[in-house]
């Protein structure tokens, strides 16, 4: 598996990666990376730069849930197929590890590689059904305020007052107080108390107004951690809320609060990444499905895979990085392997849920906004973004589809188990076509409700629902790409990147990392930790991967130390007034 290309490619990038040629050669060993999503590609990247001979085994497509994909049969007249995706990409300024990787992926004309393909939406919106939508500017140097008209000013003031009056002043003050409790809580209280407290209970949502529940309880959890407020760990929700608030204040940020790619994901990021890794000597086996991680004599002896032709074979390497999503990875861990490291067995208790994207292609641009849209009152907890306006170098009618679609409205469906407004059924109980019609109806209910027709039925060109979802409308719907969720206690179940097996490592958004959330950042950070563990065990002299934690404001550290003393004495946080 080792070859001259791996060594030569590593030496060529040695100075850029901070890896010396002496440390990179000769090749220190072979690594099988099992899974080609963000975690697997990150592990391959870091290992290849350090001289390892790497082969990535991926069952479906490189990029995993982060990839974009083609709508089959949609390209006409020499145009590319319409671009689709599992869900829109969101790379906020609180991320540091993933942006570092992106800076090291060359892209023609970009001084900072793929990272320069990130663009920052200038606003976001809470779309209220039956009420004026609240549009919020996202201030950041370089953002130009939108042109103002009297009607826009009227709508903005109406929305602000409507939403502000919808949440009573004493409830707003109470929520702010709860945030202060968390900000000043020591790590021990966060890990032991708030990890076991649902966000719904922490913010006392049960006794609050409807708007408080929809925006501050349900809205926050669906946007930040894509899980139910009644179940979500306060530690996870509030940690991310804290990070976003500090990001908005310009503290500890890699960039603006909200960033997306300036083209379909594969064009802007995944394809250049794969090309770069190939130049480093990484080999890819796409269409190869891992069936078992064989264990014997205290080590992993082989990965049993099914190749693209359906033949079973055992592939061997010196080291193995398991970089598959947890729901797929744990199927490959046999009883002996689980017995060798109990943290693998604990992963059976990690839970996943559905959060899946659907794209609507439009004949005409809808007058939405330059940023993300949150339909806070929609039963299916919809979030969306209008993409063509963020893709300045892509001409939709000229470059994609049949020449008539001018935009793509990408929507994430976060709630699949609540009845909708059109059919009265859950998303899982609807057929694919019914899901599309229901989502369209919920979008119109949120956007066409205050005198403007934002979405027109006549503007709908076509739609595309993630093919990973199957069996909708039947008793047994399935989803190949579920998302790890964070109910209380999850933090204590997450495994470390280093296992008790000396040549076996874990990388993925379920692995324990500082961000404690199923994100591309978490997948990237876990892969870096896995590589560092491998380097430590092999005694490698190569530089360790930098793993950057979430920013922590130094102003709160004295208060956290005080809270640590109170926690040890069995006292509540000083700001916790009940």
């Amino acid at each position: 598996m080792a070859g001259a290309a791996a060594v030569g490619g590593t030496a060529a990038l040695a100075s850029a990666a901070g890896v010396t040629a002496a440390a990179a050669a000769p090749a220190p060993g072979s690594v099988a990376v099992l899974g080609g999503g963000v975690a697997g590609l990150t592990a391959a990247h870091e290992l290849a730069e350090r001289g390892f001979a790497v082969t990535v085994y991926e069952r479906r497509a490189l990029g995993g849930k982060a990839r974009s994909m083609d709508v089959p049969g949609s390209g006409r007249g020499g145009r590319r197929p319409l671009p689709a995706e599992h869900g829109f990409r969101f790379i906020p300024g609180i991320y540091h590890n993933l942006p570092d990787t992106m800076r090291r992926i060359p892209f023609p004309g970009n001084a900072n590689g793929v990272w320069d393909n990130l663009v920052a939406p200038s606003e976001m919106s809470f779309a209220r059904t039956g009420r004026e939508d609240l549009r919020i500017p996202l201030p950041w140097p370089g953002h130009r305020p939108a042109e103002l008209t009297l009607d826009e000013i009227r709508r903005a003031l109406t929305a602000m007052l409507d939403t502000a009056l919808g949440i009573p002043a004493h409830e707003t003050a109470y929520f702010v107080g709860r945030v202060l409790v968390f900000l000043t809580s020591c790590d021990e209280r966060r890990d032991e108390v708030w990890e076991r407290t649902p966000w719904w209970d922490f913010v006392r949502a049960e006794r609050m107004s409807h708007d408080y529940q929809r925006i501050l309880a349900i809205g926050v959890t669906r946007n930040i951690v894509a899980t139910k407020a009644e179940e979500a760990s306060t530690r996870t929700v509030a940690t991310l809320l804290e990070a976003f608030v500090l990001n908005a204040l310009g503290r500890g940020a890699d960039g603006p609060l909200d960033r997306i790619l300036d083209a379909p994901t594969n064009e802007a990021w995944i394809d250049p990444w794969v090309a770069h890794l190939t130049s480093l000597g990484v080999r890819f086996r796409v269409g190869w499905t891992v069936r078992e991680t064989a264990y014997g004599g205290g080590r992993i002896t082989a990965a049993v895979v099914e190749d693209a032709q359906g033949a079973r074979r055992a592939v061997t390497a010196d080291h193995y990085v398991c970089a598959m999503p947890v729901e797929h990875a744990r199927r490959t861990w046999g009883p002996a392997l689980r017995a060798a490291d109990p943290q693998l067995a604990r992963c059976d208790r990690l839970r996943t849920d559905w959060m899946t994207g659907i794209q609507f292609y439009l004949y005409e641009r809808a007058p939405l906004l330059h940023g993300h849209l949150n339909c806070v009152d929609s039963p299916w907890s919809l979030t969306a973004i209008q993409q063509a306006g963020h893709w300045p170098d892509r001409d939709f009618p000229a470059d994609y589809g049949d020449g008539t679609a001018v935009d793509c409205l990408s929507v994430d469906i976060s709630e699949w188990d609540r009845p909708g407004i059109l059919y009265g059924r859950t998303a899982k109980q609807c057929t694919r076509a019914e899901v599309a019609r229901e989502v369209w109806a919920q979008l119109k209910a949120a956007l066409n409700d205050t005198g403007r027709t934002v979405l027109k039925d006549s503007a709908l060109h076509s739609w595309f629902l993630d093919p990973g979802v199957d069996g909708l409308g039947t008793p047994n719907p399935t989803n190949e790409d579920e998302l790890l969720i964070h109910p209380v206690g999850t933090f204590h179940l997450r495994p470390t990147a280093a296992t008790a097996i000396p040549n076996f490592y874990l990388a993925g958004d379920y692995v324990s990392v500082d961000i404690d959330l199923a994100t591309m950042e978490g997948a990237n950070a876990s892969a870096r930790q896995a590589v560092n563990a491998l380097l430590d065990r092999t005694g490698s002299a190569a530089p360790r991967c930098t793993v950057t934690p979430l920013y922590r404001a130094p102003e709160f550290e004295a208060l956290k130390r005080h809270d640590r003393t109170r926690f040890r004495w069995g006292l509540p946080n000083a700001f916790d007034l009940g």
Side-chain angles (χ1 to χ4, degrees), residues 182 186-197 231-237 239-240 343 346-347 349-351 484-496 509-518 529 552:
F182 187 83
C186 62
D187 288 343
E188 292 85 349
R189 193 184 300 277
R190 294 185 182 198
D191 294 349
E192 298 302 324
V193 179
W194 303 141
E195 170 60 24
R196 303 185 190 282
T197 304
E231 301 177 355
S233 154
T234 292
R235 181 190 186 280
T236 299
V237 176
T239 295
L240 270 294
Q343 70 172 342
R346 288 201 303 269
C347 290
R349 295 159 57 193
L350 294 173
R351 291 171 50 193
L484 182 75
I485 59 173
H486 302 270
V488 293
T490 300
F491 169 74
H492 301 288
L493 301 176
R494 293 165 73 104
T496 59
D509 59 15
Y510 66 97
V511 175
S512 179
V513 292
D514 185 67
I515 197 169
D516 187 33
L517 185 67
Q529 291 183 170
R552 302 184 67 144

Side-chain angles (χ1 to χ4, degrees), residues 127-163:
R128 306 303 309 275
T129 300
R131 295 156 69 173
E132 196 65 62
D133 300 341
L134 179 63
R135 293 175 65 162
I136 303 171
L138 299 177
W140 200 263
H143 280 178
R144 278 191 60 191
E147 297 296 328
L148 292 179
T149 66
L150 290 178
D151 184 61
E152 286 170 342
I153 293 173
R154 177 187 64 80
R155 289 180 180 276
L157 291 175
T158 300
M160 290 173 61
L161 291 172
D162 191 26
T163 299

Side-chain angles (χ1 to χ4, degrees), residues 534-569:
L534 189 156
L535 296 174
D536 289 344
R537 285 182 176 172
T538 59
S540 172
R544 282 7 182 203
C545 307
T546 300
V547 184
T548 304
L550 288 172
Y551 176 76
R552 302 184 67 144
E555 295 87 345
F556 298 136
E557 293 307 309
L559 291 169
K560 290 178 183 178
R561 288 194 296 271
H562 175 68
D563 186 59
R564 183 173 294 111
T565 301
R566 293 181 63 89
F567 177 77
R568 290 170 177 169
W569 288 350

